[in-house]
Amino acid sequence: MHHARPVLTAAAAAFLMSLVPAAFGHGDGGHGKPKAVDYSKAEEMPFGRAGNPKKTNRTVTIGMDDRMRFVAAAPHGQRATDARAGTPPHAMPGDLVVKRGETVRFVVHNDGQVMHEMVIGSMKELKEHAEMMRKFPNMEHDEPYMAHVAPGKKGEIVWQFTQAGEFHYACLIPGHMEAGMIAKITVK
């Protein structure tokens, strides 16, 4: 009987260790393929919901780099107010103004040498998620309001802003938001 206990303990430990990659899978590989979304049943968040890529109102390009800043730009030919420098005290190059009900396609480019991400949310939610990322830096998460982008790559978020208010987007890789990778989205 004494020989069975170490074998059972080793088997239990091996099983528990097999769960670790699922819980901590952020790494350099990014997220898995986006889940199929039924946009008529998309979960409503305080800052909007997943948007239908076939029904976007406009596209905004978001640049990310290792200077820890977002830079938003409207594609050529779109109105200049699509992306602007923002208004004090939150005048960041990535600040945006969006109309309530608009569906925006964010094309997110990582021009840096390290992993970056764009996560949309309220300031409270972003701070809570950033704290969780500090505790579990390799945490895997895959939601329609985030894009995790490897160096030299691009990602995409399609989001419908259903609620008026002030929201934000940030890079929640530990230390990035604190270094300035945050911008404001004003929904009017």
Side-chain angles (χ1 to χ4, degrees):
M1 281 300 211
H2 286 58
H3 296 291
R5 188 171 295 170
V7 171
L8 287 175
T9 302
F15 171 74
L16 291 173
M17 290 303 292
S18 74
L19 299 177
V20 171
F24 300 101
H26 215 189
D28 289 342
H31 301 287
K33 294 188 182 218
K35 300 178 217 170
V37 176
D38 179 350
Y39 298 100
S40 66
K41 297 177 183 174
E43 179 183 1
E44 186 73 30
M45 307 292 286
F47 49 92
R49 64 190 211 163
N52 185 337
K54 296 179 182 176
K55 297 183 179 181
T56 60
N57 298 99
R58 64 183 162 126
T59 298
V60 175
T61 301
I62 304 290
M64 305 182 291
D65 63 30
D66 300 340
R67 292 176 296 155
M68 302 301 161
R69 296 288 182 264
F70 288 109
V71 178
H76 183 69
Q78 288 191 8
R79 52 186 203 261
T81 57
D82 284 354
R84 63 190 184 113
T87 55
H90 302 289
M92 299 297 286
D95 288 358
L96 301 167
V97 177
V98 177
K99 292 180 184 173
R100 183 177 179 200
E102 237 182 331
T103 300
V104 178
R105 178 186 316 274
F106 293 98
V107 178
V108 187
H109 293 268
N110 182 350
D111 299 318
Q113 300 297 311
V114 299
M115 189 71 72
H116 291 295
E117 64 183 8
M118 176 182 173
V119 181
I120 302 171
S122 69
M123 184 59 77
K124 179 181 184 273
E125 290 162 326
L126 292 175
K127 285 181 178 180
E128 287 172 357
H129 192 142
E131 181 60 32
M132 189 178 302
M133 290 289 293
R134 275 190 288 283
K135 291 179 182 175
F136 306 106
N138 293 322
M139 176 180 72
E140 183 174 327
H141 49 274
D142 184 20
E143 298 294 340
Y145 52 86
M146 55 180 64
H148 191 73
V149 187
K153 303 292 184 186
K154 69 179 182 176
E156 186 174 285
I157 298 173
V158 177
W159 196 254
Q160 182 179 27
F161 293 92
T162 58
Q163 305 296 320
E166 184 177 294
F167 307 104
H168 293 84
Y169 63 96
C171 179
L172 302 181
I173 304 287
H176 292 204
M177 183 171 76
E178 296 81 358
M181 260 187 118
I182 186 163
K184 180 172 64 171
I185 301 172
T186 303
V187 182
K188 295 183 176 188

